[in-house]
Amino acid sequence: MHTSDQDNVPFVRVAVYPGSFDPVTNGHLDIIHRASKVFDKLVVAVLNNTSKNPLFSVEERVGLLREVTRDLPNVEIDSFRDLLINYMKKKNAHLIVRGLRAVSDFEYELQLASTNRKLCEDIETFFMTSTPQYSYLSSSIVKEIARFHGPVSDLVPPEVEQALRGKYGTGTTEC
């Protein structure tokens, strides 16, 4: 917690890490752990995107995120179905955290950040680059591997691996 110049009033730096997290991967967790050290409070916000057909329901994704972040006291798990800017105002947050895996992510993320800034000039976006070991990892890749019973234990937390096996069955194909 920090203090403002006015009357030494404490203020909390609240950041929001939005995403679909379908499912949460070790790459997401890496960003969550690192961002939780930078900000006083980190809200991991699961987007309820009605135009997508997710594998896990919003409730399942929120539950999995709560399980895998239970050791992080300044991390809150929530969901939203609105414009991110509206959600940010509701949470009294001014900072968005976004992960960048590769240069190819940057153009899209820059477009989002610029749009959010246009909608609300008080909003800042902080980009965190992925740890190299997770730079290739996406939820789509994890789902594809799990769907064909491939090994995902190095890609997701154990709770998520178990949930994936519940969706796709228990067979495993090893290399």
Side-chain angles (χ1 to χ4, degrees), residues 16 18-20 44-52 54 56-59 61-62 78-88 90-91:
V16 173
S20 58
V44 179
V46 176
L47 173 61
N48 185 355
N49 187 342
T50 55
S51 68
K52 286 189 175 182
F56 293 98
S57 70
V58 170
E59 295 76 22
R61 289 179 274 158
V62 165
D78 197 11
S79 65
F80 71 105
R81 175 185 278 204
D82 198 353
L83 277 177
L84 178 57
I85 295 305
N86 294 340
Y87 180 77
M88 301 283 293
K90 187 173 116 183
K91 286 296 186 178

